[in-house]
Amino acid sequence: MVKKSCRSYLVVATVFLAGLVLLNCGGGRMSSPSPGSCPVLPILTSSSGSIAPAVDPLVASEMKAQGLVGMTVAIAKGGTVLYTQAYGYADLSTCQAMESTAEFQIGSITKQFTAAAVLQLQNAGKLDIDNPVITYLPSYAFDPRITLRMLLNQTSGLADYLNFSAVNSWVNGVSEPTVLTQVAQAPLMFTPGSAFSYSNSNYFVLGSIIEAASLLSYANYLAADIFQPVGLTKTSYLQPSAFASPYLAGQVPGRIPAPSLFFAAGALWSNVQDLATWDAAVLNGKVIPSMLFTTMVTPAPVPNFPHGRPSNYAMGWVRDTELGHPFVWHNGETSSYTSFNSMFLDDGFSVIILTNGPVNEDTPLLNLG
């Protein structure tokens, strides 16, 4: 049963699920192509008296409107999952039904883990987020005004490497020096520290700084200092052995790029249960001290570039207010997966959505051919 104190939050949850608004930061709907020979699956609700009647019809309607193959949803409080459900298919070629434990590539939700790793190293005295990038990556021609803090809150002015002309040749793998060199040499969008503009380059560079400061690979650092201590058994840098198959718009089978393409900006895999555990752990001081978590969820006092609105981007989290409560979230999108992770800061109520397809085909992250 859902306690009355949770019902106002469920309004927020169902709004997210109905519109998938924050998943793609845009509009538009796809047609709903037929899944071929796979039958329409019934939604099996595990218990009576749950919030299924509020959530499931909204998800089913939106999946049909968007033409999505599969989705998992979790609504949790303090890391305890109150409701989780799987919808549609994990694989159309075998008509394998989606399961709530399915693992997906989470795209830019990865940035939350990267930011936490940097702040852990700050807490350990292995780096200082107010130092210039060139302190840790002296071999590259980064503007000496750019600091780690600017990378974290995306105010560096670095151009997004996923918009570079060479990006399609990097799908099967790219070296860090190749990307770092091109990012450092590209013209800045604005004076460092003067504005916010979302750029995956910021978090790619932070991954290399984590490696320089810790003397570990990015993947090994996360495994040893975040995944294992927090108990994230279904979160990984490399593609897991079992996962929800990728699909493009129109339910066409998709590709999974080499992890080096997205690296610390978006390569991680996870499932809804692990992300609920992650939300509670980072909120409750199990990942970084509370003081640093406050820093992590506090936006930089700068305008958006070029629109001028105040930035609400913090460090791997976007800061908002919902129903009068402080609220943080981040979405993620690769060519074949879409994700959304959100949390109320005052009581740890969170909503997580993962899909094995793009939500809006009009704004793909990049053309993977």
Side-chain angles (χ1 to χ4, degrees):
M1 293 293 291
V2 177
K3 295 181 180 180
K4 290 183 179 180
S5 62
C6 292
R7 291 193 182 276
S8 62
Y9 294 115
L10 296 180
V11 172
V12 176
T14 53
V15 166
F16 290 147
L17 296 171
L20 297 176
V21 175
L22 298 181
L23 280 170
N24 62 346
C25 300
R29 288 186 172 184
M30 292 184 250
S31 62
S32 180
S34 170
S37 60
C38 298
V40 175
L41 291 172
I43 298 173
L44 303 176
T45 301
S46 59
S47 60
S48 61
S50 73
I51 64 171
V55 175
D56 292 346
L58 294 170
V59 174
S61 175
E62 198 62 25
M63 285 187 66
K64 182 178 180 180
Q66 297 274 1
L68 295 173
V69 173
M71 180 189 297
T72 59
V73 169
I75 300 172
K77 181 179 173 64
T80 299
V81 175
L82 305 177
Y83 184 74
T84 186
Q85 186 61 274
Y87 309 86
Y89 286 96
D91 190 341
L92 290 178
S93 67
T94 60
C95 294
Q96 178 186 347
M98 186 69 74
E99 297 181 356
S100 62
T101 56
E103 295 170 57
F104 300 73
Q105 193 169 47
I106 60 174
S108 286
I109 293 176
T110 299
K111 292 178 173 66
Q112 297 175 357
F113 294 86
T114 300
V118 172
L119 293 173
Q120 279 187 340
L121 291 167
Q122 163 97 1
N123 190 56
K126 294 184 178 181
L127 57 73
D128 187 328
I129 63 172
D130 290 311
N131 279 344
V133 170
I134 57 172
T135 303
Y136 307 99
L137 301 175
S139 299
Y140 302 92
F142 286 101
D143 188 304
R145 296 172 294 177
I146 298 175
T147 66
L148 277 60
R149 187 185 295 271
M150 293 176 192
L151 300 179
L152 286 162
N153 56 35
Q154 311 239 28
T155 62
S156 69
L158 291 175
D160 194 331
Y161 77 97
L162 290 181
N163 294 327
F164 292 174
S165 59
V167 69
N168 285 315
S169 67
W170 297 343
V171 170
N172 294 321
V174 61
S175 70
E176 286 179 48
T178 295
V179 178
L180 292 173
T181 297
Q182 292 202 22
V183 169
Q185 293 176 349
L188 294 175
M189 294 182 287
F190 48 79
T191 301
S194 67
F196 160 81
S197 183
Y198 191 92
S199 171
N200 288 287
S201 296
N202 291 310
Y203 277 75
F204 191 105
V205 175
L206 284 170
S208 297
I209 290 172
I210 289 167
E211 293 181 333
S214 69
L215 303 180
L216 295 171
S217 71
Y218 173 76
N220 286 345
Y221 181 88
L222 290 189
D225 289 77
I226 293 182
F227 302 161
Q228 184 175 351
V230 174
L232 305 182
T233 61
K234 299 297 182 180
T235 304
S236 61
Y237 178 74
L238 297 178
Q239 180 181 319
S241 57
F243 55 91
S245 296
Y247 290 92
L248 301 173
Q251 301 187 354
V252 175
R255 296 175 62 184
I256 299 173
S260 59
L261 175 62
F262 296 128
F263 188 42
L268 294 186
W269 295 76
S270 192
N271 67 9
V272 291
Q273 287 88 350
D274 261 23
L275 288 174
T277 300
W278 160 253
D279 288 346
V282 73
L283 176 64
N284 295 330
K286 295 182 180 179
V287 179
I288 53 176
S290 297
M291 181 176 65
L292 284 177
F293 179 69
T294 298
T295 299
M296 189 184 192
V297 296
T298 302
V302 296
N304 273 269
F305 175 85
H307 306 293
R309 300 184 305 271
S311 171
N312 63 346
Y313 196 92
M315 298 178 178
W317 297 94
V318 178
R319 181 70 175 259
D320 276 321
T321 300
E322 292 290 345
L323 299 173
H325 295 262
F327 178 74
V328 291
W329 61 273
H330 209 290
N331 63 315
E333 182 181 4
T334 63
S335 62
S336 300
Y337 297 95
T338 312
S339 58
F340 174 72
N341 185 33
S342 64
M343 176 171 56
F344 287 89
L345 294 177
D346 50 1
D347 65 2
F349 192 97
S350 58
V351 178
I352 302 140
I353 308 169
L354 302 174
T355 83
N356 57 339
V359 170
N360 182 4
E361 66 179 341
D362 296 325
T363 55
L365 180 62
L366 70 160
N367 178 16
L368 298 180

